[in-house]
């Protein structure tokens, strides 16, 4: 968001919410949550087709900075790379409108640790599907990693291993192995804060 426009953006989003939800559903978007941290805005959506493209309402777009990148086109959103999903896409329809809280969390990775982080998450995704929360996904863009999940977790049985290799890769001491990958938000006597919960502006 543009500097100092956080409150105005939240208001513009709230005023457009009802009509915008209908428009998004007509475009094939089944579920949408918009989260913020500081001036950053993160969108999680589930769509009926990969051809659905995200576009802000004019009132919201006017309060956003353009995202830098190649070319001359003004970009008001950039896609994140999908690097982890605990559950299968086809099980998601079973828990729509379940009343669960939708959570967006944000963390930062050390650039030299990106490949290691993705490697271990791919291994876990294949070796232990549905081991944590079948709605849990992680996306990344530059140093940011964004996670989305719903709490409480839907009741699904652990999935069958998707892929095997000569020896298991997922470490038993998962959190200990993961900690060096992160740039902490803060540190205290209680430990380092690696993931921060974001504020929810809109969810349907």
């Amino acid at each position: 968001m543009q500097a100092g426009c956080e409150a105005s953006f939240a208001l513009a989003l709230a005023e457009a919410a009802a009509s915008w939800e209908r428009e998004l559903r007509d475009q094939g978007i089944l579920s949408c949550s918009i989260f913020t941290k500081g001036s950053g805005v993160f969108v999680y959506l589930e769509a009926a087709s990969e051809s659905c493209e995200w576009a802000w309402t004019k009132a919201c777009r006017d309060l956003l900075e353009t995202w830098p990148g190649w070319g001359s086109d003004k970009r008001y959103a950039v896609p994140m790379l999908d690097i982890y999903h605990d559950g299968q896409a086809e099980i998601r329809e079973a828990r729509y409108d379940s009343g669960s809280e939708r959570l967006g969390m944000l963390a930062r990775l050390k650039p030299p640790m990106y490949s290691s982080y993705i490697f271990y998450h791919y291994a876990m995704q294949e070796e232990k599907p549905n081991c944590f929360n079948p709605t849990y996904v992680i996306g990344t863009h530059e140093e940011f990693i964004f996670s989305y999940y719903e709490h409480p977790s839907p009741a699904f049985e652990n999935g069958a291993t998707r892929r095997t290799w000569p020896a298991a890769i997922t470490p038993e001491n998962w959190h200990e192995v993961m900690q060096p990958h992160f740039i902490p938000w803060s540190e205290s006597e209680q430990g380092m804060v690696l993931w921060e919960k974001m504020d929810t502006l809109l969810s349907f």
Side-chain angles (χ1 to χ4, degrees):
M1 292 170 280
Q2 295 175 15
C5 289
E6 291 82 359
S8 299
F9 183 85
L11 179 61
L13 192 61
E15 290 177 343
S19 60
W20 195 29
E21 178 180 341
R22 289 192 295 271
E23 292 175 11
L24 293 174
R25 290 194 184 279
D26 288 343
Q27 295 171 29
I29 293 176
L30 307 172
S31 173
C32 176
S33 296
I34 299 177
F35 306 98
T36 62
K37 175 177 168 53
S39 61
V41 184
F42 294 78
V43 179
Y44 172 83
L45 63 86
E46 295 174 13
S49 166
E50 292 186 4
S51 63
C52 294
E53 294 188 9
W54 180 258
W56 292 103
T57 66
K58 183 180 184 306
C60 291
R61 189 177 65 245
D62 288 346
L63 298 171
L64 291 172
E65 297 281 7
T66 55
W67 198 275
W70 296 104
S72 58
D73 293 341
K74 292 184 177 180
R75 302 188 302 170
Y76 294 94
V78 292
M80 303 188 86
L81 298 175
D82 173 13
I83 61 172
Y84 177 77
H85 39 92
D86 190 24
Q88 301 277 18
E90 58 266 23
I91 69 175
R92 293 182 173 275
E93 295 180 7
R95 88 319 151 188
Y96 284 145
D97 301 321
S98 63
S100 297
E101 181 183 9
R102 302 180 186 187
L103 299 169
M105 305 288 289
L106 195 65
R108 298 175 295 177
L109 283 182
K110 297 174 183 176
M113 302 298 287
Y114 251 87
S115 58
S116 173
Y117 185 86
I118 294 173
F119 172 78
Y120 281 120
H121 277 75
Y122 178 76
M124 175 181 276
Q125 170 181 291
E126 301 302 302
E127 293 176 355
K128 300 181 178 181
N130 296 356
C131 69
F132 168 59
N133 183 320
T135 64
Y136 195 84
V137 298
I138 300 176
T140 180
H141 185 74
E142 296 179 347
E143 77 271 27
F144 293 113
I145 50 174
F146 163 81
S147 73
Y148 169 91
Y149 65 100
E150 297 170 13
H151 180 79
S153 171
F156 289 102
E157 296 181 3
N158 288 350
T161 299
R162 299 180 182 128
R163 190 171 306 189
T164 58
W165 15 75
I169 295 172
T170 306
E172 294 299 325
N173 57 337
W174 178 261
H175 295 291
E176 182 180 337
V177 171
M178 286 299 105
Q179 183 172 310
H181 291 72
F182 292 89
I183 302 171
W185 292 109
S186 62
E187 189 170 355
S188 67
E189 293 180 358
Q190 287 72 40
M192 292 185 288
V193 177
L194 305 179
W195 288 93
E196 283 204 343
K197 180 181 177 182
M198 290 186 282
D199 296 324
T200 304
L201 291 187
L202 175 69
S203 188
F204 70 79

